[in-house]
Amino acid sequence: MIRWILTLVILCLTTPVVAREKAPDLVLTGQIVGADHQTYKPVTFEVPAGVTRVTVAFDYSGRDQKTVVDLGLMDPERFRGWSGGNKRSFSVATEDATPSYLPGPLPAGRWTLLLGIPNTRAATVAAFVAKVFFERGGGGAQAAPLRAGPGWYRGDLHAHTGHSDGSCQTQSGARAPCPVYRTAEAAAARGLDFIAITDHNTTSHFEAMAELQPAFDKLLLIPGREVTTFQGHANVFGPTAFIDFRLGDRAVPDVLTLQGLVEAAGGLFSINHPSAPSGEACMGCGWTATNTDYDKVQTIEVANGGSERAQGGAEGPLSGVAFWEAQLNAGHRITAIGGSDNHDAGLSPDVASSIGRPTTVVHAAELSTVGLLAALRAGRVFIDLDGTRDRMLDVSASTARQTAVMGGALAVRPGDRVTFSVAVSGAGPASLEVVQDGAKRTPAFTGDRAFEIKMGDRPSWVRVNVRDPGGRLLLIGNPIYLTPAR
């Protein structure tokens, strides 16, 4: 009876981060008694074939009686790590693992949760419980949100480190591959809420990010990688397992196969700098992949810090806006985002392509990878080209019966009028630019920054940009979609 009472208490107290997503696959319980003092207690469990991540959440009673339990892990073939008493939960996967543990293949068979008991009193009876979660996909460990609750979150969705071609200044002034922590420090100094580190094709940076995340408890580090192909570059956000990037090779014969791999892994597919030239100067930089399924493209990077730096501003032949709007006009609903494409975390913040310039501003339900990716898909997003900390843009549209915000849609009868309301702050004496179906419109604004659009008999979309008094583009807004109601 004592055992079951103690186990029930522990089960109630233990709330692993993944519990928000699903129930544990296994629950391992047991007792720690006086005879376990200064011994190692193996707790075995079976890992089935096909598992891509193992997460363990552990807790025990008896601390008030000075019971101490340390943790380690062994798979059927080798030692996987030892965290002692400093962690109550940990995760191991092929490409990444919680610090103290080793990434690598996850063989099916009998695994051992190794309990080290440095102290337990002779008369003490304590209970332990280990919740084990199996993942069978490419996603990363599901962490608790850094910030709960809805709000606008600012971040950079394209950055490189020394795990690919990012470099920065050494102590002596030379150049060297730049460690991941430099990018995290630069993002934190910029006041960002999140950053996606997107090294080319590799997954090696994910372990460094997992080690850094607990120390950066105000900055969400989103797993990403830039899938660099000969037919274009695309960021994939979310999954941490390897995704084959060899587009055109036997393994990935066409872009539909690549998109299918990303979709199967639960990733968000984002085309990068689509209007960049593709040739010897930048092989594969522009998007030329034929037969792309744009219904499986969730975002397009219309503002790229490297392109802005190369052409001396946000607008020019390297801008991705025209490419994006062509897909909108073809009937696809795709969110526009920006990314610095930073390759040197030490760049001055006032330079285009420094961390956070441009910044993508996202209205999300919470500050977590799951929350941010869902919000990017939903499209209540704008791009702050200067990467400020306070410029804001929001747009809503309404009829007598319904309302939508950026990324949303309204069904409107042809001939009816839709009222759009624009909220802007932090941009000074700015002007609003209305874009409908790729063409600039000049509707009459009321004093509260509202205007009307008359619905036609075909689907349409409307979005708003913000410009300074000299006409320089400051903010890029995402569309609200209008569909004819019959």
Side-chain angles (χ1 to χ4, degrees):
M1 178 63 72
I2 292 175
R3 172 181 175 178
W4 290 110
I5 292 174
L6 292 172
T7 299
L8 179 62
V9 170
I10 296 296
L11 281 168
C12 293
L13 290 175
T14 304
T15 53
V17 295
V18 293
R20 300 187 315 129
E21 300 299 321
K22 67 169 190 172
D25 294 279
L26 297 174
V27 178
L28 313 174
T29 62
Q31 288 184 328
I32 299 161
V33 298
D36 294 321
H37 179 70
Q38 294 188 355
T39 65
Y40 294 96
K41 190 179 184 76
V43 179
T44 62
F45 60 98
E46 292 291 323
V47 173
V51 169
T52 58
R53 181 178 298 274
V54 175
T55 298
V56 177
F58 182 85
D59 210 347
Y60 63 96
S61 64
R63 288 183 176 86
D64 57 340
Q65 297 297 311
K66 306 302 182 182
T67 298
V68 178
V69 181
D70 293 337
L71 289 181
L73 184 68
M74 300 181 72
D75 69 23
E77 302 170 3
R78 66 176 180 135
F79 174 74
R80 296 301 292 260
W82 182 263
S83 56
N86 65 39
K87 294 179 178 68
R88 293 195 185 188
S89 65
F90 61 85
S91 175
V92 295
T94 304
E95 313 294 341
D96 67 281
T98 302
S100 304
Y101 294 89
L102 300 173
L106 306 183
R110 179 163 293 185
W111 288 51
T112 301
L113 181 63
L114 191 59
L115 309 185
I117 323 282
N119 191 68
T120 187
R121 293 175 177 173
T124 297
V125 178
F128 69 82
V129 60
K131 297 180 180 180
V132 183
F133 301 81
F134 299 140
E135 183 177 308
R136 294 173 175 82
Q142 300 302 317
L146 293 192
R147 200 179 312 163
W152 289 98
Y153 298 108
R154 312 179 82 89
D156 189 340
L157 290 168
H158 192 166
H160 298 279
T161 74
H163 287 262
S164 58
D165 53 352
S167 66
C168 52
Q169 196 172 63
T170 66
Q171 289 178 305
S172 64
R175 304 293 298 180
C178 203
V180 174
Y181 82 86
R182 293 269 190 101
T183 294
E185 284 183 334
R190 188 88 189 208
L192 299 182
D193 300 304
F194 64 88
I195 187 165
I197 298 175
T198 55
D199 283 309
H200 297 284
N201 296 330
T202 189
T203 58
S204 61
H205 51 297
F206 296 150
E207 189 173 11
M209 292 168 64
E211 183 175 3
L212 290 173
Q213 184 65 88
F216 287 86
D217 57 359
K218 295 182 180 180
L219 174 71
L220 179 67
L221 304 177
I222 297 176
R225 92 282 307 267
E226 185 170 18
V227 177
T228 307
T229 82
F230 305 135
Q231 301 171 39
H233 298 183
N235 276 343
V236 175
F237 304 117
T240 55
F242 172 71
I243 294 173
D244 203 327
F245 56 88
R246 293 172 292 174
L247 181 58
D249 194 73
R250 183 182 307 171
V252 190
D254 53 37
V255 71
L256 295 178
T257 303
L258 175 61
Q259 291 183 284
L261 293 172
V262 173
E263 184 177 40
L268 187 151
F269 190 90
S270 180
I271 295 176
N272 290 343
H273 41 70
S275 300
S278 186
E280 289 186 349
C282 191
M283 184 59 67
C285 287
W287 192 259
T288 61
T290 57
N291 299 320
T292 302
D293 184 350
Y294 287 97
D295 287 330
K296 293 184 178 180
V297 175
Q298 287 78 45
T299 65
I300 292 175
E301 185 186 72
V302 306
N304 175 280
S307 297
E308 182 178 346
R309 195 173 180 184
Q311 67 188 4
E315 296 182 281
L318 303 181
S319 168
V321 170
F323 179 94
W324 167 56
E325 290 186 337
Q327 307 314 319
L328 298 180
N329 284 339
H332 307 289
R333 296 184 181 181
I334 303 174
T335 303
I337 62 171
S340 68
D341 202 355
N342 177 264
H343 286 72
D344 179 357
L347 280 180
S348 171
D350 60 354
V351 175
S353 79
S354 60
I355 293 293
R357 185 163 180 175
T359 291
T360 301
V361 190
V362 184
H363 193 277
E366 62 183 27
L367 184 58
S368 69
T369 295
V370 171
L372 263 293
L373 298 191
L376 287 168
R377 293 172 189 270
R380 193 176 179 188
V381 174
F382 71 90
I383 303 165
D384 183 342
L385 293 166
D386 292 338
T388 72
R389 298 191 183 197
D390 59 353
R391 286 179 184 161
M392 290 297 302
L393 169 64
D394 201 7
V395 183
S396 63
S398 61
T399 64
R401 294 175 296 278
Q402 53 186 326
T403 300
V405 294
M406 287 188 294
L410 294 176
V412 186
R413 291 177 298 185
D416 284 359
R417 305 194 76 83
V418 182
T419 300
F420 289 79
S421 297
V422 184
V424 179
S425 62
S431 62
L432 303 182
E433 177 180 78
V434 177
V435 181
Q436 182 178 16
D437 302 334
K440 295 178 182 179
R441 305 298 186 197
T442 55
F445 283 88
T446 63
D448 56 355
R449 286 180 166 163
F451 62 92
E452 289 188 342
I453 293 287
K454 184 178 179 181
M455 184 63 195
D457 58 2
R458 303 180 65 179
S460 182
W461 54 266
V462 178
R463 65 180 194 85
V464 175
N465 292 327
V466 178
R467 295 183 180 273
D468 72 8
R472 187 172 70 90
L473 188 60
L474 302 178
L475 307 175
I476 298 174
N478 268 282
I480 294 174
Y481 302 93
L482 306 179
T483 59
R486 302 300 180 186

